[in-house]
Amino acid sequence: MFVVQSENSKAKQMQEMPEFTKVNSLETTNAVYSVGKIIKFWDLGDRTWLKGKITAITQCEGYFVSATISHQNFKKKREIKINREDWLDTKSE
């Protein structure tokens, strides 16, 4: 059996998709994140926990999507986008 979708039903599905939005703070079951907060994050390159400042938070319908973190050490300054909440240390500094 074949199911055929019309262009209208495809367009309707696209309209119903929730949007990702940037917020200044977000409270989850694990922690409260806010722009400007210093937080530890897991760095895959260095394979260690590093500290950085949250510069952006993205959420979708109240759920965590990503955090952009600015990190600077003696060699370089960079921005890292973390898409997994378990790669952020939720203990307060």
Side-chain angles (χ1 to χ4, degrees):
M1 178 193 232
F2 293 100
V3 177
V4 178
Q5 287 186 334
S6 68
E7 290 298 321
N8 288 339
S9 66
K10 288 180 183 178
K12 185 177 178 183
Q13 286 177 346
M14 294 298 280
Q15 291 174 352
E16 294 175 2
M17 294 291 291
E19 292 184 20
F20 288 6
T21 54
K22 294 207 183 260
V23 294
N24 287 327
S25 65
L26 178 67
E27 183 174 352
T28 67
T29 56
N30 297 328
V32 176
Y33 303 101
S34 58
V35 173
K37 182 178 180 180
I38 303 294
I39 192 166
K40 288 184 180 178
F41 64 95
W42 181 253
D43 184 63
L44 283 175
D46 294 340
R47 301 189 79 153
T48 188
W49 290 97
L50 300 174
K51 283 186 182 180
K53 183 187 285 189
I54 297 175
T55 59
I57 303 166
T58 305
Q59 63 96 28
C60 181
E61 294 187 345
Y63 292 99
F64 177 87
V65 174
S66 68
T68 304
I69 300 172
S70 176
H71 170 72
Q72 183 174 355
N73 63 11
F74 62 95
K75 291 182 182 178
K76 60 187 169 190
K77 182 177 181 177
R78 60 187 173 146
E79 281 202 344
I80 300 103
K81 186 173 185 179
I82 306 290
N83 294 311
R84 293 183 49 163
E85 193 172 6
D86 60 338
W87 287 1
L88 301 172
D89 187 358
T90 57
K91 297 180 190 92
S92 60
E93 291 292 318

